[in-house]
Amino acid sequence: MTAKEFSNKHELLKELLDKLGLDDVGRLVLGDVPMIITDREFIALLQKVAEEVLGEGGAATIMYRAGYISAHSFSKVHARLFGISGFDILRKYLELAGVRGWWSRHEIVELSEDPLRVVVRFWHTVAEEWGNVGRPVCHMWRGGLAGILKYIAESMGKEVEIRVRETACIAKGDPYCEMVAEEVG
């Protein structure tokens, strides 16, 4: 990470910390959304235990749906809290998720409004907590990216479904995780 990238990330952290607070009952909140600070191993452990109980496919479905629903809802909060719209919601969401520990850096490789398509790469993600297991594991963020893009599409008046494929993953030995999100139908 260059000195400029580090400085930018530090500024993002300050921006995030300025928006965090405690509500009237003492919960940590971002705007009016209750938040939790936890470690990356816990997030990976949730999925690993879900795999033990439900199998890989069942766990993948649950993690994807949870990521989708959460990110769709939280995109609305980002739009309101930061006064942004369109792809700026995606940019801000990814920047702040990086500061919150999901990855050390990301790059939007491709961005298209019509048709809606986004390719994003992530370095030093939660997938590191898995080691090299020979398969992609970032189901929560596949769903998250789908939820963010679905919210953006809706705010643009587009009624489309979003499909996200993980084309590279640290947990299968790749140097980064890569997601391709695009409208279908």
Side-chain angles (χ1 to χ4, degrees):
M1 182 177 294
T2 68
K4 182 176 177 163
E5 289 171 330
F6 185 81
S7 177
N8 289 343
K9 195 160 182 156
H10 198 267
E11 289 303 313
L12 282 167
L13 178 59
K14 285 182 184 177
E15 180 180 22
L16 178 62
L17 291 174
D18 286 344
K19 300 246 186 247
L20 283 172
L22 298 175
D23 67 9
D24 58 350
V25 295
R27 296 178 300 181
L28 179 66
V29 291
L30 178 62
D32 59 354
V33 178
M35 303 293 289
I36 294 174
I37 297 173
T38 191
D39 61 277
R40 287 169 36 145
E41 180 61 31
F42 178 73
I43 300 301
L45 186 59
L46 284 174
Q47 184 171 329
K48 290 175 183 179
V49 169
E51 285 185 4
E52 288 175 14
V53 174
L54 304 169
E56 286 179 26
T61 299
I62 287 174
M63 300 305 281
Y64 183 94
R65 288 291 297 150
Y68 178 92
I69 293 166
S70 175
H72 185 272
S73 173
F74 208 30
S75 290
K76 183 177 183 177
V77 171
H78 277 74
R80 184 185 77 242
L81 195 59
F82 296 100
I84 54 179
S85 62
F87 285 126
D88 286 340
I89 296 167
L90 172 69
R91 289 181 188 97
K92 180 61 75 176
Y93 202 115
L94 296 178
E95 288 172 349
L96 293 179
V99 170
R100 291 173 35 221
W102 288 99
W103 45 78
S104 69
R105 120 180 133 84
H106 72 279
E107 175 188 0
I108 298 174
V109 177
E110 184 180 334
L111 191 63
S112 169
E113 189 173 311
D114 192 26
L116 192 59
R117 179 178 162 86
V118 175
V119 179
V120 185
R121 289 183 184 153
F122 306 93
W123 285 265
H124 302 287
T125 71
V126 174
E128 288 179 328
E129 309 312 312
W130 291 76
N132 185 346
V133 294
R135 61 185 169 87
V137 298
C138 300
H139 309 301
M140 185 180 293
W141 274 103
R142 277 190 315 107
L145 195 53
I148 296 164
L149 290 183
K150 178 70 171 177
Y151 177 81
I152 291 169
E154 291 167 350
S155 70
M156 298 161 72
K158 294 177 89 171
E159 187 56 42
V160 297
E161 292 304 313
I162 306 295
R163 177 184 64 206
V164 181
R165 295 174 288 118
E166 188 172 11
T167 55
C169 186
I170 292 167
K172 67 179 193 130
D174 296 314
Y176 49 77
C177 297
E178 180 177 84
M179 311 251 175
V180 177
E182 52 200 349
E183 69 178 71
V184 293

